[in-house]
Amino acid sequence: MDILQVSHVSKSFGSHKVINDLSFSVPEHSVFGFIGKNGAGKTTTMKMVLGLLKIDEGEIFVNKEKVSFGQNTTSRFIGYLPDVPEFYGFMTSAEYLMMCGEITGMRRQEGKEKSAELLELVGLGDTKKRIRNFSRGMKQRLGIAQALLNSPRLLICDEPTSALDPVGRKEILDILHSVREHTTVIFSTHILSDVERICDQIAFLHEGSLALSGNMEEMRNIRKNGDIEIEFFTPEDAKCFLTNYENCVHGQRAKDVSSSGSEAGMAKVIIPSGSEAGMAEVMGILLQKHISIRRLEQLEPTLEDLFLEVAGK
């Protein structure tokens, strides 16, 4: 079953079309990565899913119920974490969740038990500090707990890891991955390594339109072969290889990244995956010219490689 269906949705602000005929669906109990550069339309799409922005054209369904602007009938299925969540700083995390439970009509004992359970889940169970003293990562974790308070069918997170350090990012990603047993997670991001780590479904948004979508295996199969990286002992060897490589593939250039060598005097060359020259041609040049190398590796294709192709960079 698809918990979210976006069908031929368009949205403009004045003469600027932000979303153009966008369609995708999110399977239940998946972790869905909504990928795009800043300004691609990710936040606009999420606000339309939440019913906070009016749709110009198309339809959105959450748990098979149509989303209507200004009405909150589908909101009961959704938990939402904005990119910069705000809280009452004078409260503790437990006090804040208890207040949220009371606002939504939760019985006090139920709210107390649910708050304790969720704070333990996000690693804040033993924290007695006031929220004003929380780090950015702690606030993000509290935001996830708040979003899960009413046991939503769909958890929407807008750029949940964008301003966190590596430790904070790992903590948030681990939490999002762990809650998939109880809810469906959709999060927007431009940090593609986060998507590769926990997502099983993804959609690439480019200039308001869907460029690619599918599961992770399908995305990886689009680019079965990655770049070829060669590390030479000397820059002279790299230069000799590059000259012969360009002659072999009729002037097509490889990428000389000598300046990024890990040791002084060494050099690296990267053969793009879209090059006419494959591993056999590369090995043939090295053997013919008697060029010694320190390392040769066919890199595994990444989502970043694919997205850069989609974005036309």
Side-chain angles (χ1 to χ4, degrees):
M1 172 182 167
D2 291 332
I3 192 66
L4 172 65
Q5 295 171 305
V6 177
S7 179
H8 301 288
V9 168
S10 295
K11 177 66 181 176
S12 297
F13 294 104
S15 60
H16 178 51
K17 191 162 232 181
V18 179
I19 302 297
N20 184 23
D21 194 28
L22 179 64
S23 296
F24 67 90
S25 59
V26 178
E28 197 170 19
H29 293 295
S30 63
V31 180
F32 188 93
F34 197 38
I35 307 168
K37 297 188 297 183
N38 291 332
K42 303 186 299 296
T43 298
T44 297
T45 302
M46 290 188 167
K47 287 183 177 179
M48 288 190 290
V49 171
L50 291 163
L52 300 176
L53 276 178
K54 188 174 182 180
I55 302 168
D56 292 344
E57 298 176 42
E59 295 177 318
I60 297 175
F61 295 87
V62 175
N63 198 35
K64 298 192 178 300
E65 290 190 22
K66 187 176 179 179
V67 175
S68 298
F69 170 65
Q71 299 184 14
N72 62 0
T73 55
T74 53
S75 296
R76 69 188 190 277
F77 302 123
I78 303 174
Y80 177 55
L81 174 66
D83 56 345
V84 184
E86 296 290 343
F87 307 97
Y88 295 111
F90 61 88
M91 289 182 165
T92 66
S93 53
E95 290 170 344
Y96 180 76
L97 290 187
M98 283 291 294
M99 180 196 70
C100 292
E102 290 175 8
I103 290 173
T104 58
M106 192 176 288
R107 296 195 307 272
R108 182 170 181 80
Q109 185 59 33
E110 180 188 3
K112 185 176 181 180
E113 293 173 359
K114 188 71 173 178
S115 296
E117 174 189 334
L118 290 171
L119 289 175
E120 192 67 31
L121 172 69
V122 300
L124 296 175
D126 297 327
T127 300
K128 304 300 181 185
K129 292 194 296 185
R130 300 291 169 181
I131 298 173
R132 70 167 67 94
N133 298 316
F134 278 17
S135 67
R136 176 68 185 267
M138 292 173 72
K139 288 181 178 179
Q140 293 293 87
R141 284 186 273 153
L142 177 57
I144 293 175
Q146 177 195 346
L148 291 171
L149 191 59
N150 284 328
S151 303
R153 302 286 301 276
L154 176 64
L155 173 63
I156 298 178
C157 303
D158 191 1
E159 303 276 4
T161 63
S162 61
L164 302 181
D165 60 27
V167 173
R169 280 173 55 200
K170 179 182 183 303
E171 291 173 345
I172 296 301
L173 292 174
D174 287 346
I175 292 168
L176 294 180
H177 188 263
S178 69
V179 301
R180 63 180 299 175
E181 297 179 7
H182 309 289
T183 187
T184 302
V185 178
I186 175 171
F187 74 96
S188 68
T189 186
H190 58 270
I191 304 174
L192 301 182
S193 58
D194 290 352
V195 176
E196 287 188 296
R197 179 174 172 182
I198 68 168
C199 291
D200 40 36
Q201 299 280 335
I202 60 175
F204 284 94
L205 190 64
H206 180 55
E207 295 181 350
S209 298
L210 189 67
L212 285 172
S213 66
N215 60 47
M216 288 298 296
E217 183 177 355
E218 290 170 340
M219 294 299 102
R220 291 191 176 102
N221 286 338
I222 292 175
R223 298 180 90 250
K224 292 186 178 180
N225 295 319
D227 297 340
I228 298 172
E229 184 177 88
I230 312 169
E231 191 172 291
F232 297 88
F233 283 100
T234 68
E236 290 74 22
D237 287 340
K239 184 177 180 180
C240 177
F241 171 82
L242 284 171
T243 300
N244 286 275
Y245 167 80
E246 289 165 15
N247 291 334
C248 173
V249 294
H250 310 295
Q252 188 172 3
R253 295 186 63 83
K255 183 179 179 183
D256 184 354
V257 288
S258 303
S259 60
S260 65
S262 56
E263 296 180 15
M266 287 177 18
K268 288 182 184 178
V269 168
I270 293 179
I271 310 297
S273 61
S275 167
E276 295 176 15
M279 186 68 76
E281 288 81 358
V282 169
M283 294 297 296
I285 295 171
L286 294 173
L287 290 171
Q288 183 182 10
K289 298 301 176 181
H290 303 288
I291 302 173
S292 298
I293 60 172
R294 183 182 181 93
R295 183 175 60 86
L296 184 149
E297 180 181 0
Q298 182 140 31
L299 304 176
E300 183 178 345
T302 65
L303 279 182
E304 183 176 4
D305 298 329
L306 182 56
F307 184 67
L308 290 176
E309 286 185 8
V310 168
K313 299 296 183 182

